[in-house]
Amino acid sequence: MGETSDEYWMRYALQLAQRAREQGEVPVGAVLVQGEQMIGEGWNGPIGQHDPTAHAEMMALRQGGQALGNYRLLNTTLYVTLEPCVMCAGAIVHSRIDRLVFGARDGKTGAAGSLMDILGHPGMNHQVKVVHGVLADECSAILSDFFRMRREQKRAQRLAQQQADPS
């Protein structure tokens, strides 16, 4: 069985998540596709850009709007390695994206069904089709590895401080 289009684009999003990781950001990547053409991409950048809105999804949506010359991103699919937060879910609804495909669920901040469901809320003026679990293991692994590395770095820093100041 060959790779599906959803798997192909999620692998691309995973490459973008790796870029975020290399920059010390939480490794999340996003790709916006219309037909079979990529019209926007993004990776997390809030820390380096000092911008709380610089999530991977927001970056991909901004590029898509520029590419189409319209804030309405009709007939598009957004691929994201991690379930979007409330801010990103709101932007997905406002941009009129047709489909969201994400890999890993986010029980702490996920707004596409985990913590809450902004995209499927019946009061919203636009409904987004949601597919989840595409390459979920790979998407979860890059996040788990990142946070494990972060914890080890913090432990090492604390140990170094204790050794430098044994009082």
Side-chain angles (χ1 to χ4, degrees):
M1 186 174 116
E3 185 173 65
T4 68
S5 180
D6 286 350
E7 289 169 347
Y8 173 84
W9 289 113
M10 190 61 73
R11 287 195 195 288
Y12 189 94
L14 278 162
Q15 292 173 6
L16 298 172
Q18 187 59 40
R19 284 195 199 170
R21 180 187 181 132
E22 290 164 3
Q23 295 172 7
E25 303 279 355
V26 176
V28 178
V31 183
L32 184 63
V33 176
Q34 188 178 60
E36 285 301 312
Q37 183 178 357
M38 189 269 297
I39 60 169
E41 65 181 25
W43 55 92
N44 264 5
I47 298 166
Q49 294 180 39
H50 312 290
D51 179 356
T53 70
H55 288 195
E57 301 94 322
M58 301 298 278
M59 306 310 274
L61 296 178
R62 287 177 187 141
Q63 277 189 12
Q66 292 298 310
L68 297 179
N70 196 333
Y71 76 96
R72 290 193 173 185
L73 306 173
L74 304 175
N75 305 309
T76 59
T77 299
L78 181 65
Y79 295 89
V80 188
T81 56
L82 181 65
E83 180 178 359
C85 69
V86 173
M87 172 184 69
C88 294
I92 289 166
V93 169
H94 287 299
S95 63
R96 306 296 196 273
I97 286 175
D98 285 348
R99 285 177 77 227
L100 166 70
V101 179
F102 70 88
R105 285 210 171 269
D106 184 351
K108 292 182 180 176
T109 65
S114 290
L115 177 67
M116 63 184 66
D117 189 5
I118 300 293
L119 301 177
H121 191 283
M124 287 294 175
N125 62 347
H126 174 72
Q127 298 295 308
V128 179
K129 295 178 200 87
V130 178
V131 176
H132 64 85
V134 175
L135 302 182
D137 291 344
E138 292 94 325
C139 293
S140 294
I142 192 172
L143 288 157
S144 297
D145 292 347
F146 175 80
F147 287 113
R148 182 173 28 262
M149 178 191 72
R150 271 266 181 86
R151 286 190 300 272
E152 288 170 4
Q153 288 172 340
K154 286 184 179 178
R155 244 182 262 127
Q157 285 174 341
R158 279 195 304 272
L159 186 60
Q161 286 173 341
Q162 290 168 354
Q163 290 174 346
D165 184 22
S167 58

